[in-house]
Amino acid sequence: MKVLVIGNGGREHALAWKLKKSKSVDEIYMARGNGGTENFAKNIDIDPKDINELLEFAENKKIDLTVVGPEDPLCMGIVDAFNEKGLKIFGPNKECARFEKSKEFTKKFLEKYSIPTAKYKSFKNYEDAINGLIEFNYPLVVKADGLCLGKGVMICHEESEAEDALKKIFKDKIFGDEGSTVVIEEFLTGEEASVLCLVSNNKLFPLERAKDHKQIYDNNKGPNTGGVGTYSPVSVSPELEKNLEKIYRKIEDGLESEKLNYSGILFIGFMIEDDRPKVLEFNVRFGDPETEVLMPRLDSDLFEILNKTIDGKLKKEDIKWKEETCLTVILCSGGYPGSYEKDKEICGLDKVDEDIMVFHNGTKKTDSLYTNGGRVLSVTALGKDLKEAREKAYANAHRINFDGIYFRKDIGIK
Ligand code: AMP
Ligand code: GLY
């Protein structure tokens, strides 16, 4: 079978790496892939947002399954376009991708189906939003409705900050049309956690938990990033598990009642306080770097699972996990998540132990391997417990080098 994976990060590298292990998969194409995927797949030079070109490629090559990594093509309707041509593709259709494309859409859904979430109001212009501030206490959260590369959320500690945030979105239009609606939200406290669910025919199948680390510095200090380290599994109290289950059932009921036909991944971001989870956001794709620790722990055939998900035939028993713990630490370019330089030569990958997986987040290969992003490499290890996985990942991370390399030293130290 031939598979096309769309995207070029560590998430897509990990998905392709796992697909390659399937007995059914012969060839993998990546659009565009990176310096790491080149070793076992064929990187093709098509922009993940160029749906027409991707469609043409999949038709010509007779691709049996396309797997979409990033949200943009999903929100643009790539799944609908492939389905129209009878091509098999993993991910939600355009209508369902609105759960990531529009925060207002998600908040309305959560409210309608009594799913715990922060109190909110949405606004379409500056004046109404300013007048609406009075209904909230500080801190409050101002969110641009659309896709803003993870920068659309502003936590405001006083009125002047909230006014400034609203001015930036509505008047300066820093997010363009993605900020034409704004959600103002109550600030939630607690611990953040996310759960990725496979969704087959509107039924949720939660994957094992993975703990992301968003801040760039040790002890969760510094600015937020896309995620710079993860481990899995994470233990969950029975009380929390019970409350999460209730939320999954309500989401399923909501999807059915709205006559949505959800298929793919639903990534649920939670804020949890005293075992009571509230939904912060939905994403409609795999998490990065969550996927880098979930794929090595997955004991089932990914190709089969994705096909069953699409066919609406997935069962809980289909998804099996290894007992081992998996941990990844992400090697970053100095300066990330602010400005950083690219094109630094990467050395030391030949010194990495054989049982270590190095997924490439942002690299490119020419005469040698070079950095090509803020997040560069995910050094990933399996171990009998968290301590062993951590020690293996860090021992190997220290063998890799490039100019300006930086990584957190405390992933997996609780
Ligand atoms: P989102 O894209 O909505 O998940 O927001 C990005 C980040 O902003 C989250 O991961 C949280 O750290 C923070 N955040 C978003 N909404 C809230 C909220 N209502 N209360 C506290 N923090 C929030
Ligand atoms: N790691 C967070 C995300 O993928 O959105």
Side-chain angles (χ1 to χ4, degrees), residues 103 118 141 143 153 155 185-188 192 214 271 280-281:
K103 296 196 189 291
V141 190
K143 298 183 175 186
V153 174
I155 293 167
E185 217 175 78
E186 157 202 22
F187 179 80
L188 299 177
E192 266 190 86
K214 289 199 191 227
M271 188 68 90
L280 276 183
E281 61 163 347

Side-chain angles (χ1 to χ4, degrees), residues 329-331 346 358-361 363 375-379 400:
V329 51
I330 302 207
L331 313 184
I346 300 168
V358 182
F359 299 120
H360 294 220
N361 302 82
T363 68
R375 297 190 291 185
V376 178
L377 295 167
S378 295
V379 184
I400 301 172

Side-chain angles (χ1 to χ4, degrees), residues 73-312:
L74 295 169
C75 295
M76 290 164 68
I78 191 170
V79 170
D80 311 64
F82 272 55
N83 284 340
E84 253 170 52
K85 298 272 181 193
L87 289 166
K88 212 160 198 184
I89 182 162
F90 178 82
N93 60 26
K94 188 172 179 179
E95 193 179 21
C96 294
R98 280 188 293 167
F99 281 119
E100 182 153 0
K101 171 79 178 155
S102 167
K103 296 196 189 291
E104 186 190 35
F105 177 81
T106 295
K107 292 298 283 191
K108 282 189 173 154
F109 177 88
L110 296 171
E111 190 175 48
K112 184 163 176 190
Y113 294 98
S114 308
I115 297 165
T117 188
K119 184 188 118 187
Y120 85 103
K121 277 209 143 171
S122 57
F123 300 94
K124 302 243 182 268
N125 66 66
Y126 176 76
E127 288 73 24
D128 289 349
I130 290 284
N131 292 332
L133 287 174
I134 187 114
E135 296 181 41
F136 294 86
N137 297 320
Y138 290 88
L140 55 74
V141 190
V142 172
K143 298 183 175 186
D145 182 60
L147 298 179
C148 306
L149 302 169
K151 296 186 169 62
V153 174
M154 298 177 225
I155 293 167
C156 308
H157 296 87
E158 52 189 81
E159 198 175 344
S160 61
E161 275 179 34
E163 286 169 0
D164 191 46
L166 292 171
K167 178 177 166 290
K168 281 187 181 142
I169 301 176
F170 278 125
K171 300 216 152 158
D172 306 342
K173 296 194 187 302
I174 57 169
F175 302 119
D177 287 347
E178 302 295 320
S180 58
T181 298
V182 162
V183 168
I184 300 182
E185 217 175 78
E186 157 202 22
F187 179 80
L188 299 177
T189 51
E191 190 176 353
E192 266 190 86
S194 51
V195 180
L196 279 73
C197 302
L198 278 164
V199 189
S200 180
N201 199 13
N202 287 346
K203 275 202 70 63
L204 268 60
F205 297 86
L207 305 183
E208 292 244 310
R209 293 268 305 279
K211 168 88 185 146
D212 194 7
H213 294 70
K214 289 199 191 227
Q215 290 88 358
I216 187 73
Y217 302 129
D218 286 9
N219 300 313
N220 300 328
K221 297 275 179 341
N224 265 357
T225 68
V228 287
T230 341
Y231 58 82
S232 172
V234 182
S235 59
V236 180
S237 75
E239 180 65 18
L240 175 57
E241 194 60 62
K242 204 176 80 198
N243 290 332
L244 289 170
E245 285 294 334
K246 278 191 210 154
I247 292 183
Y248 304 147
R249 298 294 86 79
K250 285 186 182 183
I251 294 174
E252 292 174 345
D253 290 347
L255 293 174
E256 281 293 305
S257 302
E258 295 299 307
K259 298 194 170 48
L260 293 166
N261 181 11
Y262 203 108
S263 170
I265 280 278
L266 183 68
F267 172 130
I268 313 173
F270 290 106
M271 188 68 90
I272 302 171
E273 195 164 42
D274 301 330
D275 287 337
R276 286 194 308 270
K278 289 188 177 173
V279 174
L280 276 183
E281 61 163 347
F282 285 157
N283 295 316
V284 299
R285 46 159 180 87
F286 283 98
D288 192 346
E290 288 87 343
T291 308
E292 285 91 313
V293 290
L294 290 174
M295 289 306 117
R297 288 198 61 233
L298 184 65
D299 214 13
S300 319
D301 183 319
L302 182 63
F303 182 80
E304 273 176 21
I305 291 186
L306 299 184
N307 273 298
K308 283 187 179 175
T309 303
I310 297 170
D311 297 340

